Every structure is written in structure tokens, then in C-alpha cells.
């Protein structure tokens, strides 16, 4: 299925995917199909394919790619609609690191669709999710990622708070990439 999708034949890929019984392989093929559909400009088909992905993390990754394509094409309304579905997928992710990364994707998309209040709200949630990460180095990395998106969203005070939560004593300008 992946080979057909990569070659642009997403119709055959979608037919073949029903023959795949191993969930991991099916979702891998769906990722290729999403890429192929996006490359062909088939947003509606891509949305349908993404909705069929069972794993919330994998589904959210596909939906984020769709949002990015919609933003790039100037379809802000479509991107905002897809963000709603993306948020529902992210809510189902249980692992804090993956959930935080997906929340950062949402916040960046909200920022890029001029939804600053939504981005700030999502970034506050992402910061709290990052604090749940058990591995200290990953937790610090994610908090710095939150601060980066906050800075690009002109929320310097929020970025400073995220850096403080990460244990950084330096000003935002010294830490942010």
C-alpha cells in the first residue's frame, strides 16, 4: 500500500490497505497514503484517511500534516476545522511526551491561524503536560519547546514561566533558540 501511495496511486493503496491485518503495518501504510493524498492536493481524501487511523498519536500526526497543508494553502477556515479534530485526537493520547508535542503542534497552528488566545491556552496546557514527563531531561526539553512556541507567539512572560519550570535561570533571550 505504501508503494502505491508513494507513487501517487492512492486509490489502489486505499483498496490494498483493507487486506492488511497487522495494525502497526496498516497505520504505517496509512501514513504513506496521507502523504500521497497531501501531495496530490486531496485534502478531503486525506481527512478521511486520517480519521481511519486508530492510534491517537498517529492520527494526530496525520491531522497535523493536514492542518499545515491547509495553512500553507491559505485555507484558514479548513485548518481551524481540522484543528478541532486534531484536538480530539490529542485528548486521547496518554503518554505525556507525545501529548505535549502534539499540543505544541496545535498551539503553533493556532498561532499561524491568528488564534492567539487559543494558542496561549493550549500552551498553558502543554506546559502542564510537560511537567508530567517522568524523565527529567525530556521534561526540560519539552518545557523549552513550550517556551520557544510561547516566544514565537509573543508571550514572553509565559516563556519565562516555562523556562523557570524547566529550571533555567537565564533570561528568555539566552535560552530560546
Amino acid at each position: 500500500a505504501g508503494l502505491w501511495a508513494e507513487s501517487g496511486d492512492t486509490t489502489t493503496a486505499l483498496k490494498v490497505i483493507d487486506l492488511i491485518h497487522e495494525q502497526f503495518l496498516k497505520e504505517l501504510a496509512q501514513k504513506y497514503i496521507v502523504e500521497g493524498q497531501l501531495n496530490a492536493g486531496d485534502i478531503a481524501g486525506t481527512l478521511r484517511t486520517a480519521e481511519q487511523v486508530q492510534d491517537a498519536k498517529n492520527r494526530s500526526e496525520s491531522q497535523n500534516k493536514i492542518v499545515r497543508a491547509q495553512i500553507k494553502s491559505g485555507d484558514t477556515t479548513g485548518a481551524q476545522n481540522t484543528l478541532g479534530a486534531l484536538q480530539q485526537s490529542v485528548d486521547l493520547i496518554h503518554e505525556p511526551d507525545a501529548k505535549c508535542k502534539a499540543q505544541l503542534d496545535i498551539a503553533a497552528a493556532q498561532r499561524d491561524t491568528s488564534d492567539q488566545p487559543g494558542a496561549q491556552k493550549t500552551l498553558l496546557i502543554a506546559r502542564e503536560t510537560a511537567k508530567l514527563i517522568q524523565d527529567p531531561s525530556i521534561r526540560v526539553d519539552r518545557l523549552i519547546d513550550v517556551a520557544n512556541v510561547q516566544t514565537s507567539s509573543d508571550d514572553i512572560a509565559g516563556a519565562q514561566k516555562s523556562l523557570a519550570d524547566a529550571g533555567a535561570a537565564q533570561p528568555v533571550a539566552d535560552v530560546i533558540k
Side-chain angles (χ1 to χ4, degrees):
L3 293 174
W4 279 293
E6 282 186 330
S7 72
D9 186 359
T10 55
T11 303
T12 302
L14 286 166
K15 290 176 184 174
V16 170
I17 203 163
D18 290 333
L19 303 174
I20 302 172
H21 299 292
E22 174 62 42
Q23 192 60 35
F24 170 77
L25 295 175
K26 183 176 256 186
E27 292 198 9
L28 183 62
Q30 286 167 322
K31 282 184 178 186
Y32 284 112
I33 293 170
V34 163
E35 290 290 330
Q37 289 172 314
L38 281 175
N39 290 338
D42 182 7
I43 298 294
T46 308
L47 286 165
R48 284 191 302 275
T49 301
E51 282 302 315
Q52 295 173 7
V53 177
Q54 293 200 359
D55 179 74
K57 178 181 173 283
N58 290 336
R59 185 173 52 252
S60 72
E61 289 172 359
S62 291
Q63 289 167 325
N64 183 55
K65 289 178 183 178
I66 297 165
V67 168
R68 288 281 144 215
Q70 289 170 314
I71 290 170
K72 186 176 179 181
S73 74
D75 182 9
T76 304
T77 302
Q80 289 169 336
N81 290 335
T82 305
L83 275 169
L86 174 55
Q87 183 62 59
Q88 290 175 350
S89 297
V90 171
D91 288 343
L92 298 173
I93 298 172
H94 300 291
E95 200 279 308
D97 184 36
K99 187 172 200 147
C100 183
K101 287 178 183 178
Q103 290 165 334
L104 290 171
D105 289 339
I106 290 172
Q110 288 169 319
R111 175 200 64 214
D112 295 346
T113 58
S114 301
D115 180 8
Q116 292 299 83
Q120 287 182 343
K121 180 180 175 185
T122 301
L123 287 164
L124 290 173
I125 295 167
R127 181 170 57 216
E128 294 306 311
T129 302
K131 291 179 188 178
L132 300 174
I133 298 170
Q134 296 297 312
D135 183 306
S137 65
I138 295 173
R139 182 174 52 248
V140 167
D141 286 348
R142 241 20 93 231
L143 285 164
I144 291 172
D145 291 343
V146 171
N148 275 317
V149 178
Q150 287 171 313
T151 300
S152 69
S153 300
D154 296 324
D155 182 9
I156 303 305
Q160 195 64 52
K161 174 76 171 114
S162 295
L163 291 175
D165 288 344
Q170 303 98 327
V172 171
D174 293 344
V175 179
I176 299 299
K177 301 170 191 165

